[in-house]
Amino acid sequence: MRYERPVSSCDETASDLAGEIIAALSAASLVFKEDKEYSTSLTKTAKELFDMVTKEDPGFVQENLVSAEEEELSVNYILGDNPMEMSYVVGYGNNYPKHVHHRGASIPWDNQWHSCAEGSTWLNSENPNPNELLGAMVRGPDWNDMFLDQRDKPWFTEPTISSNAGLVAALVALHDPPHSTSSLNGADALGIDNSGIFHNIHFI
């Protein structure tokens, strides 16, 4: 991107911003898992930030997690058990958003560099995205369960790191296979790793 991206600092607790950074670091650690040193560094930094946020803002975990029953109802709603019969996760089911508000999804891969101004060509296009963000959850419907699959309405179709991190946390919490202490920290461990960043998640 060929424009200025100034760096800002925050002098007060900003747990929502921290949540987005933690999610980004955690996701990046998976993307770069082949580079074990870098991946480990990303995970370590995410955990350090998580520990710092939960120390400064003890309500962070409680505010961002709900009971297991509510998590399950919310996940079912997100995946299509809703009045619109629409999955809000791209690629899940037969009816999901095709006009996600995301630059990488809406601009075709044509080996050309495009300016931000040129991006409006695709922003305002009524064609489905040429690149699907498989697995990304969009913002979803309004309070009346109305959803418009329109790229120029980001309040419906934009995926955010924090909401997708919340979905991942809910899915992890709902996935509860038998644990063995020897596998909790292994690469093949499933479910909640009680020694990791999800140590405060529990069924109520």
Side-chain angles (χ1 to χ4, degrees), residues 107-187:
I107 298 177
W109 290 73
D110 57 5
N111 294 319
Q112 302 289 321
W113 180 83
H114 300 285
S115 69
C116 289
E118 290 174 309
S120 62
T121 302
W122 293 284
L123 173 65
N124 299 316
S125 169
E126 294 183 7
N127 295 327
N129 287 349
N131 311 304
E132 287 195 319
L133 284 178
L134 293 177
M137 181 180 72
V138 297
R139 286 197 177 180
D142 63 17
W143 290 105
N144 298 312
D145 289 312
M146 175 59 65
F147 177 79
L148 297 176
D149 186 13
Q150 296 176 13
R151 195 177 299 109
D152 63 350
K153 293 184 171 46
W155 51 92
F156 291 118
T157 58
E158 182 178 41
T160 64
I161 294 172
S162 57
S163 62
N164 278 272
L167 175 62
V168 170
L171 292 171
V172 169
L174 290 172
H175 182 65
D176 191 33
H179 295 137
S180 68
T181 53
S182 62
S183 69
L184 276 178
N185 291 311

Side-chain angles (χ1 to χ4, degrees), residues 20-34:
E20 295 227 12
I21 295 170
I22 292 166
L25 290 168
S26 301
S29 74
L30 297 175
V31 172
F32 296 103
K33 66 182 178 184
E34 302 300 322

Side-chain angles (χ1 to χ4, degrees), residues 7-202:
V7 175
S8 301
S9 64
C10 181
D11 297 327
E12 297 182 19
T13 301
S15 56
D16 54 342
L17 175 60
E20 295 227 12
I21 295 170
I22 292 166
L25 290 168
S26 301
S29 74
L30 297 175
V31 172
F32 296 103
K33 66 182 178 184
E34 302 300 322
D35 184 343
K36 292 189 185 300
E37 184 179 347
Y38 184 55
S39 180
T40 301
S41 174
L42 290 167
T43 304
K44 179 176 178 281
T45 304
K47 185 177 184 329
E48 287 172 355
L49 181 56
F50 180 85
D51 290 343
M52 185 175 69
V53 171
T54 53
K55 181 180 176 185
E56 293 290 324
D57 183 3
F60 174 74
V61 174
Q62 288 75 21
E63 290 168 8
N64 289 283
L65 297 173
V66 292
S67 72
E69 182 178 338
E70 289 174 337
E71 277 178 347
E72 187 167 5
L73 289 173
S74 298
V75 169
N76 289 340
Y77 181 96
I78 290 166
L79 297 179
D81 186 11
N82 56 62
M84 296 289 293
E85 297 182 351
M86 162 80 76
S87 166
Y88 298 114
V89 175
V90 177
Y92 186 88
N94 296 320
N95 188 22
Y96 57 86
K98 307 286 194 307
H99 302 85
V100 179
H101 182 90
H102 186 276
R103 188 179 316 213
S106 58
I107 298 177
W109 290 73
D110 57 5
N111 294 319
Q112 302 289 321
W113 180 83
H114 300 285
S115 69
C116 289
E118 290 174 309
S120 62
T121 302
W122 293 284
L123 173 65
N124 299 316
S125 169
E126 294 183 7
N127 295 327
N129 287 349
N131 311 304
E132 287 195 319
L133 284 178
L134 293 177
M137 181 180 72
V138 297
R139 286 197 177 180
D142 63 17
W143 290 105
N144 298 312
D145 289 312
M146 175 59 65
F147 177 79
L148 297 176
D149 186 13
Q150 296 176 13
R151 195 177 299 109
D152 63 350
K153 293 184 171 46
W155 51 92
F156 291 118
T157 58
E158 182 178 41
T160 64
I161 294 172
S162 57
S163 62
N164 278 272
L167 175 62
V168 170
L171 292 171
V172 169
L174 290 172
H175 182 65
D176 191 33
H179 295 137
S180 68
T181 53
S182 62
S183 69
L184 276 178
N185 291 311
D188 297 327
L190 297 173
I192 300 172
D193 178 350
N194 291 321
S195 66
I197 65 170
F198 296 110
H199 70 279
N200 285 322
I201 299 176
H202 58 88

